[in-house]
Amino acid sequence: FVGVGSDEAIDLLMRIFCQPAQDEILITPPTYGMYKVCAKVNDVAINSVPLTESFDLQVPEMLAAVSDRTKLLFICSPGNPTCKAIPLADVEKIASATEQYQGLVVVDEAYVDFS
């Protein structure tokens, strides 16, 4: 993909994979604010599972929160504004849980150079 930055990629993912007023994304606040902005622009619902106090993913809670409507699951690593890298093992747990979630797992590494 060649684009003008991660904001464009986020918007295009929602335009391609989400039906307005039908589908949803899952985010893990605190996280990059553009996920919410693009979801609102594209009329896509937002499902949130907050990070822990130490800014870790709550993998079981995330998998419990997804539904057939969840088309994109965003993982920001390193996090913005947390600066914490998400362990690959957590990403693999989510990506391999195909019985619970069949949507796309988007690992946003836009801030990798700052971690």
Side-chain angles (χ1 to χ4, degrees), residues 2-19:
V2 177
V4 294
S6 62
D7 293 355
E8 181 185 26
I10 293 164
D11 182 62
L12 285 173
L13 284 167
M14 289 191 202
R15 290 174 187 260
I16 292 167
F17 293 104
C18 298
Q19 291 292 319

Side-chain angles (χ1 to χ4, degrees), residues 21-104:
Q22 290 182 2
D23 293 329
E24 68 181 21
I25 63 167
L26 187 138
I27 60 172
T28 56
T31 193
Y32 186 48
M34 210 56 196
Y35 306 138
K36 278 187 176 182
V37 171
C38 288
K40 289 179 189 272
V41 166
N42 291 293
D43 195 16
V44 174
I46 302 163
N47 190 352
S48 296
V49 176
L51 298 172
T52 66
E53 287 183 11
S54 57
F55 303 123
D56 292 311
L57 294 179
Q58 299 188 74
V59 174
E61 290 84 349
M62 291 170 69
L63 293 173
V66 296
S67 71
D68 291 339
R69 295 179 52 221
T70 312
K71 303 302 184 210
L72 301 169
L73 189 154
F74 285 95
I75 298 172
C76 192
S77 179
N80 171 1
T82 67
C83 298
K84 182 162 186 176
I86 302 299
L88 180 58
D90 286 352
V91 175
E92 289 173 337
K93 285 178 194 171
I94 293 168
S96 64
T98 56
E99 287 187 24
Q100 292 147 301
Y101 179 62
Q102 284 106 41
L104 292 179

